[in-house]
Amino acid sequence: MSKLKNMRGIEIPRFRALSSGPKTLKELFGPDGFDEWAGRHQSFFARHIYEPTAFLWHEDEAITWESGYSILAMAIDDSVTEADVAPYEIIEFPGGIFLVATGDENDPSDLNETVQCMMEWIESSNIFEYGDFPKSGMCNMPNPNGAFDTALGIAQQQIYLPLKMRAQSGQY
């Protein structure tokens, strides 16, 4: 049996990020939204060969996709200043350890099943427990509108659940 049950554990270091601040999904992704602004300022952002360097999370763990506020944070180059990103702000993303799995954003039951499997893995791990930041977990899209997703008729969403070591594990 697979120890990680087709999930992966990753460590994300601290990094400087452009933060949208708390916004509705319409304010983030709608016309004249944060994402559109970011698209016009691509030179600010750190690049990675295949993984996105942006994360979306809910401002409150009880908020759902359909309501409330979310934050989109995107890794930026060291040369970017507060003046460059106004009216948005630069934050230090705290990093941490995360359990990561992928679900189909177009299928809420698939996303729910994926998160449920992740939560069950955390509970049964005897090493980790659910972490502190962000309480809602976070997500990103590894290849929006890419050939793989188009061929399968899906929208891959990577889900990141924060982890921390259990006190009795003797580590950290």
Side-chain angles (χ1 to χ4, degrees), residues 142-156:
N143 56 354
N145 305 315
F148 186 86
D149 285 8
T150 300
L152 292 177
I154 64 171
Q156 291 183 83

Side-chain angles (χ1 to χ4, degrees), residues 30-44:
D32 299 318
F34 176 78
D35 191 53
E36 190 174 290
W37 181 93
R40 292 191 307 267
H41 297 86
Q42 287 296 306
S43 64
F44 295 165

Side-chain angles (χ1 to χ4, degrees), residues 5-8 99-103 114-115 117-118 157-161:
K5 301 192 188 281
N6 299 318
M7 295 177 266
R8 61 189 171 121
L99 183 64
V100 184
T102 304
T114 302
V115 171
C117 288
M118 295 171 79
Q157 181 183 103
Q158 296 185 127
I159 301 162
Y160 297 74
L161 297 185

Side-chain angles (χ1 to χ4, degrees), residues 24-143:
T24 65
L25 291 179
K26 183 177 179 181
E27 291 170 324
L28 286 172
F29 300 109
D32 299 318
F34 176 78
D35 191 53
E36 190 174 290
W37 181 93
R40 292 191 307 267
H41 297 86
Q42 287 296 306
S43 64
F44 295 165
F45 301 105
R47 303 275 185 261
H48 193 282
I49 192 167
Y50 69 94
E51 290 281 345
T53 55
F55 300 98
L56 178 75
W57 66 87
H58 303 299
E59 188 60 359
D60 179 63
E61 63 185 297
I63 292 175
T64 67
W65 285 110
E66 294 81 26
S67 64
Y69 294 94
S70 297
I71 293 175
L72 182 57
M74 306 170 90
I76 55 173
D77 291 327
D78 289 340
S79 63
V80 177
T81 68
E82 291 282 350
D84 292 330
V85 301
Y88 303 107
E89 66 178 326
I90 295 174
I91 63 169
E92 183 169 313
F93 183 87
I97 54 177
F98 296 87
L99 183 64
V100 184
T102 304
D104 181 359
E105 184 177 73
N106 294 333
D107 183 351
S109 65
D110 185 63
L111 288 177
N112 290 335
E113 181 182 338
T114 302
V115 171
Q116 182 64 36
C117 288
M118 295 171 79
M119 294 300 288
E120 289 170 5
W121 184 91
I122 294 168
E123 286 297 316
S124 66
S125 76
N126 296 321
I127 297 170
F128 298 104
E129 59 187 62
Y130 197 88
D132 299 320
F133 177 82
K135 275 293 189 190
S136 67
M138 57 188 190
C139 66
N140 63 23
M141 304 292 285
N143 56 354

Side-chain angles (χ1 to χ4, degrees), residues 2-21:
S2 169
K3 290 181 181 180
L4 281 173
K5 301 192 188 281
N6 299 318
M7 295 177 266
R8 61 189 171 121
I10 65 166
E11 296 179 41
I12 300 175
R14 290 182 179 272
F15 64 88
R16 289 179 78 229
L18 171 64
S19 172
S20 64

